[in-house]
Amino acid sequence: MNDNTLTWDDFIKVEMRVGTILTAEVFKQVKKPAYKMQIDFGEFGIKKTSAQITKLYAPEELIGNQIVAVINFPKKQIANIMSECLVLGAVGEQHEITLISPDRKIKNGTRIG
């Protein structure tokens, strides 16, 4: 095993869950272009975050979409908000982020595994 290999126990510690974006707006207080969002994770609550996804998405088209995020990282101060989750996406060649989302609507809070 090399240093990058995860054990099953490592993997199951990561709580990747589905949530629905409730709000998305330009995050004016950060250096790199980003949106601040509120995401509904069902029984796990509504969580705030920031995401650098401005190259491919406009705030109004994000609202109502389901995404996948890690919800059990420690909270992190980003400018004037406390980020409570990490939205997952694929990083393209031009550093554009394509969000990861389920291909059909499922219950908010559903675990990815």
Side-chain angles (χ1 to χ4, degrees), residues 5 52 91 111:
T5 302
Q52 295 174 0
V91 182
R111 186 165 186 161

Side-chain angles (χ1 to χ4, degrees), residues 3 5 7 18 21 36 43 47-48 53 55-56 63 70 76-77 79 81-82 97-98 104 110:
D3 291 342
T5 302
T7 66
V18 174
I21 299 172
K36 56 183 169 181
E43 65 184 279
K47 298 188 181 291
K48 294 179 285 187
I53 55 174
K55 288 184 179 180
L56 298 180
I63 296 169
V70 176
K76 181 177 180 180
Q77 186 75 44
I81 70 164
M82 188 64 74
I97 307 295
T98 299
R104 61 182 60 127
T110 299

Side-chain angles (χ1 to χ4, degrees), residues 17-23 37-49 62-69 71 84-85 87 105-110:
R17 297 197 179 265
V18 174
T20 299
I21 299 172
L22 300 176
T23 65
M37 302 184 295
Q38 291 188 355
I39 303 168
D40 181 359
F41 290 98
E43 65 184 279
F44 301 95
I46 295 170
K47 298 188 181 291
K48 294 179 285 187
T49 194
L62 291 168
I63 296 169
N65 288 342
Q66 288 192 307
I67 51 83
V68 175
I71 66 167
E84 301 170 304
C85 63
V87 174
K105 188 160 178 58
I106 57 175
K107 181 181 171 189
N108 286 336
T110 299

Side-chain angles (χ1 to χ4, degrees), residues 1-6:
M1 232 178 357
N2 67 39
D3 291 342
N4 292 331
T5 302
L6 296 176

